[in-house]
Each structure stands twice: as C-alpha cells, then as structure tokens.
C-alpha cells in the first residue's frame, strides 16, 4: 500500500493553480496514487527551510512512501532532477540540497539522475519541472517502475553544510536554523548533545535563559525546550520568541554547561 | 465507510512539516484511513476560533467520521487528551474547550480521558501531542478500536461559556464572536432568536443597520444577514466589515425590535 | 475512475470551516468521491484570478474529472448556478465568468442551468451555495447522474472579455493580467503569438527588457520568459518582479519586434 502514497512539499502556494496541475498529472498516470499535501507554503526559494520541514515528517509515513519535494530556484539550469531511494522511502526533487537533513539520518541505497524522457510529460517546459518531470516520475514510481529505469546512477548529490555547534569555553556556540509558524526559534543543538551535560545558561542576544522546560506551557517569559524536531528551541508560552527577540535565522545562541 | 474519514483542524500551519508528521502517523497505522484537511490556519492558540470553525462543518460529514481538532497551547500541562463520542461522530483533541460549540448541539454518549499508551506513538514528546497521541488515537479509532479501550470514562469536559445575548430595553445586546476570512462579523445572535420578532435596527459602534438582507449581494454599504454559521452577521458586499468598522471579537452589537 | 475526482478551487480560505462543510457534503453523498484541493486562497471575490488559475490545471486531470470552482460574490442574486460539460471534463460553479479562460480552449458540449432541488442540500441558504448547491451537484455527478437531470439546457454562459494584445507601430501593446505567488507578472501575450517574430525589446513602465530567457535561472535583473501558463511573463530570478516594479494587474506592457 505504502508506495501508493505521494507526499507534496513545495513553495508554489496554491492560488495560481500551478500545483493543481502537478496533482492532475499524478492522478492521470496513476489513478490509485494517494496524494498527501504536506505544504505549499515554504517561503519562496527557501531550499533550507524545505529540507528542515521534510526532516520533520518523512519518516512517519508508511514504508514505500514517495516524497516529492520541489523548491527549485534553479529550474532550467544545469541542476539535475534526482531520485533517491533509502531503505524505506523514495525522494524525488531537484539536486539542490533539499534532501540534506534527510541524508544525515538515512543511508541512500540508490541515487539516480533522472533523464529518461519516457517518464516526463510530453511537453517539457524549462520553468515548471514539478509538473513536467517530478510529478510524472513520482507517479510512475508509485506504479512500480524501478528506480534504474529513470536514469543513470550517481555517486552523490548536493548537500548543504548544516551548521554544527562548536565548543566555546565551558559551553557550546550554535545558531538559529529555523523559525517556525509559532515563532519558536529552532537551534542547531540536537537533543542528544544536551542529554549528557547539565545546562547552566542559554544565551541569545542580551537574554539569558536558565535551564530547559519540559513543555511550552511551563515556560514563563522566554524559555527553552527540546522541540518536536529534536533540536533545542527557544520559545514563549502562547507567544512568539521571534517577535520578542526580533530574531533571524543564523543568529548565534550560546550554551554554558554547569 | 464513514469511520475511515479523519478530518484535521489545527493551528499548526503547514510550512514546518509538523502536521505532515501527524498525517504519516495516521497512514502508517491505518493505510485505509482517509484524511480530510479542514484547516491548519486557525490563528495560533485561538481555541475559541477553532471551536467555532469546527461547528461550521462537523455535522455535514458521513456518520462515523472522526474529527481531530488540535489547538493546544496547554500541551504538556495537566490538560487531558479527550475522546468524545456523539450519536454520529467521534471527536479527538485536548480538553481545553475546543469542542464547546459542538456540545451545544450534541448529546455526548461517551467521554473518555485518553491514557492507554498502547495507542500512543512509542516516543512520546511533551510538545507535540497531535503527532504522538491524537493522530494515533484517531487512526486506531478508524480501525474500529472501541472508545473504552483508550482510557477511563469521564463525566464532563471543559466548555467555554459561549456568550449569550441579553435583553436590553426593547431589544437585545450581544457581541461579535468571530470574524471570518471575508471580514464578515459574526455575532452571537442565533437565527432562531431573530425569527420571532421584526428587527427595527441593528447597532454596532456608531453605525445603524436597518433590517436584514437575504444575501451579501443585496447589501448596500454595511448590512446584516443570517450567515451560513446560523448566526446574525454584519457584512459589506464584496468588502470587509471588519476593515470598515475596525471591529474586534468581543465588541458589542445591539438589536432593537419593532 | 476519473469521474470520482472532484477538484476544489475557491476563495473561502480554510480557517472558518466553511469549505470543510462542502467537503463533508460531498463525502456524505458519495463516499467514493476523491476530493482534490486545488486552492482556497484565491483573493476574495477575484473571479478573474480564479478563472486564470483554473486554466492552469484543469486539463491535466484524468478524463471525467469534475472541477468545482466557486468564487461567488453574487451568491443569492440572479446569477445562475451552472454545470458545463466539455469533451473531457465537468465544470460546476456560478455563472459569473469563472470559466472564461476554459471556454477559450474547450468546446462546451452541455451547458445546464442548475435548478433541480432534488440535488441540493435540503436546507438551502442564500449565502453559501458552495455547500448547498455546488458541492452536492458535483457529488451526484460523480455518482453518474446525467447532466440533463440537474436543470434546463442553456445556450451560453457568462464570459469575461479577456483582453487581447493590439498592434502598435512595429510591435504589440498588451497588459499584465495576473501576478502569481512568486511576483511574476503574467501578460496577455500568448506563446504562439511570439513564436513567429523575433522580439527586440519589451517595455513595462520605464524599464526595457532585451529578448526572452529560457528559464528563471537565466534572468539577470528583470527578464522575460514564456511561463508555464503559456503566456509571456516578466520575472526576477529568485525575486519578485511585482515588488521591483510595484506593478498591478492591468498595467500596460509593450513589445517591439525586430
């Protein structure tokens, strides 16, 4: 059943009907395909944000699910269309780093540069590969076409350098890597890094946070907790840490251990 | 068929991939479940608005439909996860008043405080119960698991006090309880209350409205009609009453009868 | 299979639960119907924008698909509810021009003014025909009810005059007809009109653009290309032409041929 599921994550919005065309293409090739909208509201051209969002959901789907992720400012350039297979999932999208967070967790069993025009839409544009290449490839995958049919194997694919926390004095220096819909500031401190030592203080701008809360509800003012993405988050209970701190992605966050 | 349908109403937005994870959890537990997105755009933490929106759609679904509603600022606190059964539907969500409008219309046949970890995600966070508790419970419900399996029965659940119009002179005093996407101002005057008497004048701020229109199209300037939610609405034809009046939820609205 | 698919395009947003009610109505009448969200984010009352978006996706769906399109400022007025059949598709919505772009491409085999209350919701409002008329009609269509069952045939239906480019000197004068989510300015110059002659210069406001790019990626500063809608677009690579030019729909665009 699983490989009938095709999830969609894009920055196309919905109001222009563009992504509707991609859905039609999928259903025409495989009427049994089950399309699951994840989002079309990724900030325009925010490949990093797309990669982060993808990491939050992909592994919860049934084995065999096909994850289509298209934030594609390089459409029509030399960037390649890619198909990646891991133990449990398929990923289809541009080779621009959009799968970077996924590569951290998964062994890639197949990497294929998509080139077989048999699986493209007959009329191929140079502006809309979500409709013309990625949607039909995902649909044919869901029909059971083998990965090697779509093109030639590749050894690697593009990855962002995901910034890692660095040692500094008695603590660590990291940064904000994502700001979510609630204004929570998600840092690059993974949960397991913080389990080993007791946190004395978290610093962001001129603010100091003492210790880690168990839930948003426990936080008074500005607080910190391990969020559902598996990273340290700075948050305000029923408010926006982003607005409070006027924070931006890339801003530094320091941790001092006891 | 009906109890294969799981509707989703949340304030998670979509761009972070959070709600995508909840969808994956559902499909992994019950591949036959049919997920219907209602909205993920409830204003952040607006439990009242969520309750109002839920009231606009739940009863139109086939019998047996499972309505998952998660606007959950108290996640990780003592607020309980609840499962409610009415004659025709199931409701799953936090016990924070999100089902208040529904309780007005429905007899609750079962109220269950969800506690059976057998039906939770194996890794339980204290920040994201939509994914870890509510989605799996809805999925198991759709597989036919009985309500009593999920936890212990409760006698009641949290309800907002939904403000009611009060008598004042020759008329009634009510208020704006919701502002919709079109800027229509929805009041707490239910249609049946207004059917009995003839309205002379509706007052909001310094404005006066004479009588009730049959449709948005009939309205010249600011007007009033019975909206599809079953309440008196103040509206501007092809415009926004909210913008015209700079109105807010809670603002008073008066009615004088003839 | 195809006529189990019902696509939805509206300006209702999602946060009020209105469109959720329409989905429930469909699933109650035909539990096998497959609802595909196209968008609910059309600008409020923007019938032209809805027509443009519809044109971007409808023909990619499997034959027999039912396209429900409701942007309906005239609900409750004399405007008629319409059902249109073309060779491959069904269209259901208000007779207000929302299908204008479609009429350009398709032969209409049946035009029916919907009037048979047997296929309406029992309680008919004058404010929400998406739920009370259009959704149930689409659902009954998906069950195989014949078009003539829904009402009386009509000879024509409302169409916008879609503005066409005019000759001017050695070139053409057209205009911006749509601004998409990325800020791309879509003009009324269709691709085939531009294939015949070589473009020397494109003029918009005080700006001059030399020639046409093959993709967004190729553009330096402000550029032009044939977009996926099949029209000339003005665009900024990874930016917004709309913001750069502060452009609006209706603004003139000139082309000089060599």
């Amino acid at each position: 059943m699983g490989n009938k599921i095709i999830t969609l994550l894009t920055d196309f919005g919905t109001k222009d009907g563009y992504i509707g065309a991609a859905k039609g293409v999928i259903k025409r090739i495989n009427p049994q395909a089950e399309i699951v909208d994840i989002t079309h509201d990724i900030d325009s051209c925010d490949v990093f944000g797309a990669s982060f969002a993808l990491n939050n959901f992909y592994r919860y789907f049934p084995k065999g699910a096909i994850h289509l992720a298209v934030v594609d400012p390089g459409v029509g350039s030399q960037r390649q269309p890619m198909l990646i297979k891991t133990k449990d999932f398929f990923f289809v999208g541009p080779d621009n780093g959009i799968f970077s967070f996924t590569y951290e967790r998964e062994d890639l069993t197949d990497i294929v540069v998509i080139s077989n025009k048999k699986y493209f839409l007959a009329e191929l544009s140079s502006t809309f590969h979500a409709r013309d290449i990625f949607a039909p490839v995902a649909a044919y995958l869901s029909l059971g076409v083998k990965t090697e049919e779509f093109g030639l194997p590749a050894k690697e694919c593009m990855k962002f350098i995901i910034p890692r926390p660095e040692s500094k004095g008695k603590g660590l220096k990291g940064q904000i890597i994502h700001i979510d819909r609630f204004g929570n500031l998600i840092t690059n401190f993974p949960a397991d890094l913080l389990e080993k030592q007791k946190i004395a203080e978290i610093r962001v701008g001129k603010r100091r946070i003492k210790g880690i809360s168990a839930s948003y509800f426990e936080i008074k003012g500005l607080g910190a907790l391990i969020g559902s993405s598996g990273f340290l988050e700075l948050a305000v209970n029923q408010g926006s840490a982003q607005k409070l701190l006027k924070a931006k992605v890339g801003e530094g966050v320091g941790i001092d251990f006891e």
Side-chain angles (χ1 to χ4, degrees), chain A residues 73-85:
Chain A
V75 62
S77 74
Q78 293 304 311
R79 77 96 189 87
Q80 299 289 351
M82 298 294 270
L83 160 58
I84 289 150
K85 191 170 181 294

Side-chain angles (χ1 to χ4, degrees), chain A residues 182-184 215-221 235-241:
Chain A
F182 298 98
N184 299 319
S215 71
Y216 299 109
F217 190 80
E218 272 189 12
I219 291 173
K220 314 282 176 236
V236 169
N237 182 17
Q238 299 195 42
S240 164

Side-chain angles (χ1 to χ4, degrees), chain A residues 23 32 36 44 46 63 84 87 102 107 130-131 133 164 174 178 182 205 212 216 219 223 226 242 248 255:
Chain A
K23 292 182 180 184
Q32 260 74 46
V36 178
S44 178
D46 181 10
K63 289 185 186 193
I84 289 150
K87 182 165 162 285
T102 312
D107 290 327
R131 177 192 66 194
I133 297 180
R164 309 222 173 270
H178 184 75
F182 298 98
I212 292 189
Y216 299 109
I219 291 173
I226 301 300
Q242 189 274 324
K248 291 188 178 162
I255 290 182

